[in-house]
Amino acid sequence: MSDTRERVGLVCPSCSSGEPTVHEVLSPGGQATVRCTDCGHTHKTEISEPETESIDIVVSQDDQSFTTTMEVPADTYAEVGGEFVVDSPEALLQARVTDIEVGPEERVEEADAEDIETLWTRAVDNVSVKVTLHPSDGNRDRTRPLSVAVPGDYEFEIGETETFGDEEFTVEGVQIRENAPDYRFDKLDHKGDIAFAKDVKRLYARDETSTAWSAW
């Protein structure tokens, strides 16, 4: 059975003279009972609770959104494009910061937790990617839309053929989202270019579905 006791860094009166060592919390409370993992010495000490800040978080997922509130360490800061886990009654999910509100109609690129009123985020652990499909004969008048649901870390590569159920297409271009990190260009169109699904605003692809444009 795995050990699930809380562990904290504390000075041990037996084996450390100022530098904290890892302690197991045997009995929590005002005067907690702890045991040093270096020497095994057990003693009582006061463990202070970390200061926290309450932040409102708006999470968007596809065409829906919900608002929750989280307590975060007071020394935390957030930046647009950063990701974190939202733990709420509605869901447990990975989210990316899209906007930081620090005052009425005042939004910034980064801020300390104490200054944040609302974090605007987008769920990125599972995403729906919009695809614009055009037929292989190049007739743009017969372009059609498609949406595919994939994990956020799914990779789309220019030149690669993807299959989703009865749909098949070859990726020819990728429009990158505004707040996506680590991309040199807003649009990728060179063979071999790769983008994560969570960073994709739209895919442009050649329709390879065998019956997509058959006569009827």
Side-chain angles (χ1 to χ4, degrees):
M1 181 180 296
S2 61
D3 188 349
T4 58
R5 291 194 184 99
E6 181 185 359
R7 292 170 181 252
V8 294
L10 299 168
V11 172
C12 175
S14 176
C15 72
S16 64
S17 59
E19 290 298 321
T21 63
V22 176
H23 283 64
E24 294 176 336
V25 179
L26 303 180
S27 176
Q31 283 291 317
T33 301
V34 297
R35 179 171 59 206
C36 176
T37 59
D38 282 0
C39 71
H41 178 69
T42 299
H43 59 105
K44 286 187 174 292
T45 188
E46 183 176 346
I47 301 176
S48 59
E49 292 293 329
E51 293 185 10
T52 63
E53 294 286 343
S54 181
I55 296 178
D56 291 333
I57 301 171
V58 179
V59 181
S60 298
Q61 190 168 32
D62 298 332
D63 296 327
Q64 299 181 332
S65 64
F66 67 88
T67 301
T68 189
T69 300
M70 283 183 59
E71 294 291 328
V72 301
D75 59 356
T76 298
Y77 83 100
E79 60 183 345
V80 171
E83 296 183 10
F84 67 102
V85 175
V86 175
D87 187 355
S88 73
E90 292 81 6
L92 178 67
L93 49 79
Q94 186 82 6
R96 173 178 291 170
V97 179
T98 56
D99 267 311
I100 302 173
E101 185 176 328
V102 295
E105 300 183 3
E106 183 181 359
R107 302 196 178 189
V108 296
E109 291 294 308
E110 60 180 35
D112 293 328
E114 63 181 1
D115 298 323
I116 298 172
E117 289 193 1
T118 304
L119 281 181
W120 298 81
T121 71
R122 180 174 62 89
V124 294
D125 44 2
N126 292 287
V127 297
S128 293
V129 176
K130 294 180 180 179
V131 186
T132 296
L133 294 174
H134 62 266
S136 55
D137 64 8
N139 186 348
R140 298 285 174 170
D141 292 336
R142 300 168 76 180
T143 295
R144 65 187 178 99
L146 178 68
S147 182
V148 296
V150 293
D153 58 0
Y154 187 90
E155 293 183 350
F156 287 103
E157 181 176 343
I158 303 296
E160 289 297 305
T161 299
E162 301 282 352
T163 302
F164 295 93
D166 296 332
E167 300 285 355
E168 188 174 49
F169 58 83
T170 299
V171 180
E172 295 184 326
V174 180
Q175 185 71 42
I176 300 297
R177 287 182 176 273
E178 182 179 350
N179 55 20
D182 302 326
Y183 293 90
R184 291 190 301 166
F185 303 103
D186 294 335
K187 186 173 182 180
L188 307 180
D189 54 12
H190 289 84
K191 185 176 176 62
D193 286 349
I194 294 175
F196 290 112
K198 63 185 177 182
D199 300 329
V200 175
K201 183 175 182 180
R202 181 174 292 274
L203 289 179
Y204 297 91
R206 183 175 67 253
D207 199 341
E208 306 287 4
T209 306
S210 59
T211 60
W213 306 106
S214 59
W216 61 84

